[in-house]
Amino acid sequence: MATLLTPRSRRTTDAMGAAGTTSTGGSTALVVPPGFRTTLGCDAVGVPARYGFRILSRLPAKGCVYADTDWWWWLVPAGSDLDLRWPLPSCYASGAEVPDRRPRLIHHPDGTSPYTPPIPLYLLACQLTGTAPSWSLIPTQSDGVMSEHVHPSGPDRT
């Protein structure tokens, strides 16, 4: 654990020539390559490297993915942890600030979005860690009846 917090200061470049990370002490801010829109802000979800290839190969859509020898990190829109409890051993990093272990960009998505959709990523992380998905249900009120179904055509509606 102490090696994760060892201060280092640097700016690195990935193999594609895009800025990969900037460093401030014991953490690194993952940098989005030029040309991507980040209007939703950026957070990151990390998983141990042993899960990396399995998750990457099963995701229907993939954003920017960074990796070092021990962790893989997916960029997700800011706030992707709201009402979700990411399963251990995954790690949620607000502001895409990750431990400084020299992560580099390993997947450059097509299009203009740097984000991996967080729900498929969350479900895969749950599946691979053997954790049941869990998020808060937001009850809605319609016609004086409380319902856990957000969609108006849910099974409790006639």
Side-chain angles (χ1 to χ4, degrees):
M1 185 66 153
T3 59
L4 289 174
L5 303 175
T6 304
R8 294 183 215 162
S9 181
R10 77 175 151 275
R11 179 173 177 82
T12 63
T13 304
D14 70 3
M16 300 170 104
T21 59
T22 58
S23 177
T24 56
S27 66
T28 297
L30 299 176
V31 176
V32 180
F36 288 100
R37 289 186 233 145
T38 58
T39 55
L40 300 175
C42 284
D43 289 346
V45 174
V47 298
R50 68 181 176 269
Y51 298 120
F53 282 115
R54 285 188 282 180
I55 290 176
L56 189 64
S57 67
R58 294 177 183 175
L59 281 170
K62 304 160 189 76
C64 292
V65 182
Y66 301 80
D68 59 48
T69 57
D70 299 320
W71 285 86
W72 285 39
W73 298 94
W74 279 261
L75 285 184
V76 293
S80 293
D81 61 336
L82 297 176
D83 297 325
L84 285 180
R85 196 169 245 183
W86 287 85
L88 290 176
S90 65
C91 178
Y92 192 86
S94 295
E97 285 279 331
V98 302
D100 188 5
R101 306 248 337 175
R102 294 185 163 197
R104 63 182 182 83
L105 185 67
I106 62 166
H107 182 266
H108 192 285
D110 297 329
T112 59
S113 175
Y115 305 120
T116 294
I119 297 302
L121 179 59
Y122 171 75
L123 293 173
L124 277 170
C126 287
Q127 180 183 34
L128 290 174
T129 61
T131 305
S134 174
W135 49 75
S136 299
L137 293 176
I138 302 170
T140 60
Q141 187 169 1
S142 176
D143 300 327
V145 176
M146 291 301 288
S147 170
E148 292 181 349
H149 301 281
V150 177
H151 193 276
S153 64
D156 64 341
R157 301 275 313 227
T158 56

